[in-house]
Amino acid sequence: MPSILTYAEHRDGTLRRPSLEVVSEARRLADQMGGDTKVECVLIGSGVAPLAATLAAHGADRVHVVDAKELAAYATEGYARVVAQLISNEKPKAVLIPYSAMGKDLAPRVAARVGAGLVSDVVKLTVKDGKLQARRPMYAGKTFATVEWVGEPQMATLRPNVFPLAPADAARKFETVTADVEVANQRAKVVSMQATAAGKVELTEAQIVVSGGRGLKGPENFHLVEELAAALGAAVGASRAVVDAGWVDHHYQVGQTGKTVSPSLYIAAGISGAIQHLAGMSSSKVIVAINKDADAPIFKVANYGLVGDIFEILPKLTEAAKTSLAGRK
Ligand SMILES: Cc1cc2nc3c(=O)[nH]c(=O)nc-3n(C[C@H](O)[C@H](O)[C@H](O)COP(=O)(O)OP(=O)(O)OC[C@H]3O[C@@H](n4cnc5c(N)ncnc54)[C@H](O)[C@@H]3O)c2cc1C
């Protein structure tokens, strides 16, 4: 039976939204391919089987569960071995993985093990003559390439927040199977994890991102960005200039050498809009730029531009957001 296999990423007992976007997209593609193409998922971890129902609600027909204490936390080698074995057993037509930090680490290793072509950071997939075609940005988002695969499986990583979630249908029928894979003899395992940003909105999955740049003048002013983000329930981002200057940690960096984000709303405060920054945020649905220089390149990609001083505008926006959101409660 032809199938599309997706990788399900989870944290703290919850599936990550990009995993559900990937299953939703696999369902859409499988329905277009026809021939009773199935959507299958691989779920790896310890005590993760109950998550299968959520994958099914978004489109999975069958969930392969690999439940092992040795694989309780993500470790590159062990997970890559398991996914590669499953691909060799099941021979899916396509394998779709979220373009998350974990997916970026896992997918190339799996592709190398199974000898598959991998297209990364895909923003669109279409079916042509029963095969997939992928669209992906190139040269820091200046142009897009349309890519086809030679052979199978056709492997791709999908950019988060780009592919829509299918509405959840809890009544969808599905099957859970124990994957027939070797999990023993891991050469490396994770012994402990320490979260640095506990409780904060994950940048790559956030629906709203507020980013600050060098226009903030110094780390003592970065709270202006954090306060607006808190008022909007948004994640905080930063330009590389700010990260390189040591104002905030690297995990806040948006751009070519940072994270790629596609939120519904991206607010850039005191960021000039260098091509390397645009590479990480230009696929945001609505971009608001605040900059005192009317000729700043960020305004070329912005849907709304505020020419003015961030030290005046950010506190006003924060107050307006607080008032407006409080009014809705
Ligand atoms: C290989 C490579 C990779 C890179 N990767 C990344 C990356 O991943 N992400 C990234 O961001 N950059 C990246 N860069 C760096 C990039 O080229 C820029 O240097 C950087 O994005 C600039 O950051 P910025 O916009 O905060 O600072 P600046 O370019 O200095 O811009 C500051 C802006 O703030 C405005 N401003 C100043 N004061 C105020 C005020 N009071 N009110 C309003 N506006 C004000 C100014 O008009 C200016 O437009 C990379 C560069 C290279 C070479």
Side-chain angles (χ1 to χ4, degrees), residues 213-215 217 239-241 253-258 270-274 276-277 290-293 296 308-311:
R214 190 148 46 194
K217 311 282 187 241
S239 71
R240 177 164 159 178
Q253 187 181 317
V254 172
Q256 189 182 327
T257 44
I271 292 178
S272 59
Q276 297 89 355
H277 187 80
I290 313 165
N291 199 304
K292 67 177 184 184
D293 175 7
D309 189 341
I310 41 177
F311 294 99

Side-chain angles (χ1 to χ4, degrees), residues 27-188:
R27 177 78 269 153
R28 196 182 65 78
L29 296 168
D31 291 345
Q32 276 182 33
M33 283 176 175
D36 206 15
T37 305
K38 300 285 185 216
V39 173
E40 312 211 353
C41 300
V42 52
L43 188 53
I44 307 172
S46 181
V48 288
L51 300 176
T54 310
L55 294 167
H58 285 88
D61 298 304
R62 186 195 271 189
V63 180
H64 299 265
V65 178
V66 185
D67 203 319
K69 284 204 176 62
E70 300 92 316
L71 299 172
Y74 176 76
T76 311
E77 188 216 4
Y79 274 52
R81 266 207 302 164
V82 165
V83 178
Q85 283 178 67
L86 193 68
I87 292 171
S88 302
N89 295 348
E90 300 296 323
K91 302 194 172 30
K93 286 173 81 66
V95 179
L96 307 181
I97 297 176
Y99 186 63
S100 57
M102 189 189 291
K104 284 183 215 176
D105 183 62
L106 179 71
R109 291 162 197 266
V110 173
R113 279 178 181 268
V114 299
L118 172 67
V119 184
S120 60
D121 196 14
V122 169
V123 294
K124 189 175 178 192
L125 282 166
T126 43
V127 179
K128 193 182 164 208
D129 303 328
K131 293 183 69 183
L132 294 182
Q133 259 191 357
R135 185 174 150 88
R136 67 177 301 271
M138 291 178 68
Y139 305 119
K142 277 197 160 181
T143 182
F144 286 86
T146 301
V147 188
E148 290 181 355
W149 286 258
V150 177
E152 290 181 349
Q154 304 161 87
M155 273 189 78
T157 49
L158 276 55
R159 183 181 286 199
N161 269 343
V162 169
F163 294 87
L165 272 192
D169 174 5
R172 278 195 84 255
K173 286 204 178 108
F174 71 104
E175 187 188 359
T176 305
V177 291
T178 304
D180 180 18
V181 291
E182 173 65 56
V183 295
N185 305 324
Q186 303 294 334
R187 291 190 301 181

Side-chain angles (χ1 to χ4, degrees), residues 261-296:
V261 299
S262 294
S264 302
L265 173 62
Y266 186 88
I267 302 177
I271 292 178
S272 59
I275 183 71
Q276 297 89 355
H277 187 80
L278 301 187
M281 46 63 76
S282 57
S283 60
S284 305
K285 278 107 199 157
V286 174
I287 298 170
V288 175
I290 313 165
N291 199 304
K292 67 177 184 184
D293 175 7
D295 295 323

